[in-house]
Amino acid sequence: MALFSSLTPVFIAIICVLIGVILKKTNEEKDKRETKSKPLPRPWVDEDLKDGTDHHLEEEEVDEEWQGLDENVAHIPFFAERYSEAEMIKRSQMFYELLNKRRSVRFLSDEMVPREVIDNVIRTAGTSPSGAHTEPWTFVVVQDPYLKHKIREIVEEEEEINYKKRMGDRWVNDLKRLRTNWIKEYLDTAPYLILIFKQVYGRLPNGKKKTHYYNEISVSIACGILLAALQNAGLYTVTSTPLNCGPQLRVLLQRPANEKLLLLLPVGYPKKDATVPALTRKPLEDIMVVM
């Protein structure tokens, strides 16, 4: 009995160790199962920039070994044109003055614009950088009067609901001073509508999904370059992001499911009696911080 009493603490210690080992092994197996079931992390998507309409790439759908790019892309010499300091200052000042004339114009003429100009500004937008050079953008140019009017009908129907129900009093009141509403006459009168779609993923030759890294940021940069190119060509637009219209417009324009509408630009010359709000831009000291 004395021997049993002296061995009891040893037995208890052994049992505790065994229980600890079993629990550790169980937790490790659980962690493995959870890790396997979780989708691959997508560090190229900022949480603040995620779009609820994105098609999330599932692990089994992604070809991790090949994304359609050459394994070894040849590198070639790069020759850059370099300007004198005086020329740099002059060019930067001239470009600023050109873009400072850019305004959002809602009163657009129906006067035709050379198609070649539209081709060139979209080519320019296509020079934009993109994540892993995936170029995740589609620019749909609409000039057919019937399609333009159908787009207007879709946009105005949804925008009226937006103004009356979805946007809220504060947003609507903020827009009153700019005299905007759900009536979008420019969608009929502008000679061209450019609808910019982001491709949330691509397709490989084998049919699997191809990851488009930073697709929203990449296409947004391309839109900025497009706006600058339009201004440089003497054309005007208003950046339009009609809420809740994307799916209908995608179907109307027969775009695939991997494309999501990011921006709608009516493009043309301003009407002779066009007006814009008397707005000013923030001075440099309010938008730049030098460390």
Side-chain angles (χ1 to χ4, degrees):
M1 180 65 70
L3 178 63
F4 179 77
S5 298
S6 63
L7 290 178
T8 298
V10 177
F11 288 136
I12 293 174
I14 293 173
I15 291 171
C16 289
V17 170
L18 289 174
I19 291 173
V21 171
I22 293 171
L23 288 174
K24 182 179 179 182
K25 188 174 182 180
T26 301
N27 288 333
E28 287 176 350
E29 290 177 354
K30 182 181 178 182
D31 289 340
K32 286 181 181 179
R33 288 196 303 271
E34 289 178 353
T35 302
K36 190 175 181 180
S37 65
K38 287 181 181 177
L40 292 175
R42 304 172 69 204
W44 59 89
V45 179
D46 189 301
E47 288 294 329
D48 293 334
L49 294 171
K50 280 187 178 179
D51 186 329
T53 62
D54 277 3
H55 285 235
H56 296 293
L57 296 169
E58 295 179 6
E59 184 175 357
E60 65 273 14
E61 293 179 312
V62 179
D63 192 329
E64 291 297 331
E65 296 181 357
W66 185 63
Q67 283 279 22
L69 300 174
D70 294 333
E71 288 186 8
N72 296 302
V73 178
H75 279 222
I76 58 177
F78 176 70
F79 300 99
E81 188 170 0
R82 182 160 180 169
Y83 306 106
S84 67
E85 289 188 6
E87 182 66 14
M88 290 171 63
I89 293 171
K90 178 182 176 182
R91 290 172 67 91
S92 63
Q93 179 66 26
M94 289 177 61
F95 193 64
Y96 160 69
E97 290 173 359
L98 172 66
L99 290 191
N100 194 39
K101 296 175 183 176
R102 189 208 58 78
R103 295 300 305 270
S104 295
V105 178
R106 292 174 172 82
F107 305 99
L108 295 173
S109 166
D110 60 1
E111 183 180 354
M112 278 308 299
V113 171
R115 170 61 188 279
E116 188 176 358
V117 176
I118 302 301
D119 293 350
N120 286 337
V121 296
I122 291 179
R123 281 195 186 99
T124 304
T127 67
S128 175
S130 60
H133 194 59
T134 51
E135 302 175 290
W137 41 66
T138 302
F139 301 88
V140 179
V141 178
V142 178
Q143 56 185 354
D144 178 73
Y146 171 79
L147 274 180
K148 287 195 297 180
H149 189 67
K150 292 298 293 182
I151 290 171
R152 179 180 178 180
E153 288 179 340
I154 291 171
V155 171
E156 287 187 343
E157 181 180 359
E158 288 295 331
E159 283 285 78
E160 183 175 6
I161 299 172
N162 291 334
Y163 271 79
K164 291 182 176 180
K165 296 181 180 180
R166 296 176 180 139
M167 289 162 54
D169 293 339
R170 179 180 298 177
W171 190 350
V172 173
N173 287 330
D174 285 344
L175 290 173
K176 278 183 179 179
R177 66 192 183 99
L178 303 178
R179 301 180 189 175
T180 67
N181 54 40
W182 60 84
I183 306 300
K184 313 293 182 185
E185 181 184 356
Y186 51 71
L187 295 177
D188 269 325
T189 59
Y192 295 101
L193 304 181
I194 302 178
L195 294 92
I196 301 96
F197 288 83
K198 63 175 184 177
Q199 301 169 6
V200 296
Y201 60 86
R203 286 290 180 187
L204 296 171
N206 61 10
K208 290 188 177 182
K209 289 183 179 180
K210 175 184 176 181
T211 306
H212 278 177
Y213 310 94
Y214 296 110
N215 60 78
E216 178 134 354
I217 297 173
S218 300
V219 181
S220 297
I221 296 171
C223 289
I225 294 175
L226 177 57
L227 291 174
L230 289 169
Q231 182 70 18
N232 182 62
L235 296 176
Y236 287 82
T237 185
V238 55
T239 52
S240 173
T241 52
L243 297 174
N244 302 293
C245 297
Q248 294 181 73
L249 294 178
R250 181 180 65 79
V251 172
L252 174 68
L253 300 174
Q254 300 179 350
R255 302 312 307 157
N258 67 315
E259 294 187 1
K260 304 297 177 185
L261 181 65
L262 188 67
L263 197 64
L264 167 56
L265 299 177
V267 173
Y269 304 110
K271 286 184 175 181
K272 291 181 179 179
D273 59 351
T275 62
V276 294
L279 302 176
T280 58
R281 293 187 168 97
K282 292 180 179 180
L284 181 63
E285 57 267 24
D286 286 355
I287 65 173
M288 184 176 75
V289 176
V290 180
M291 306 297 286

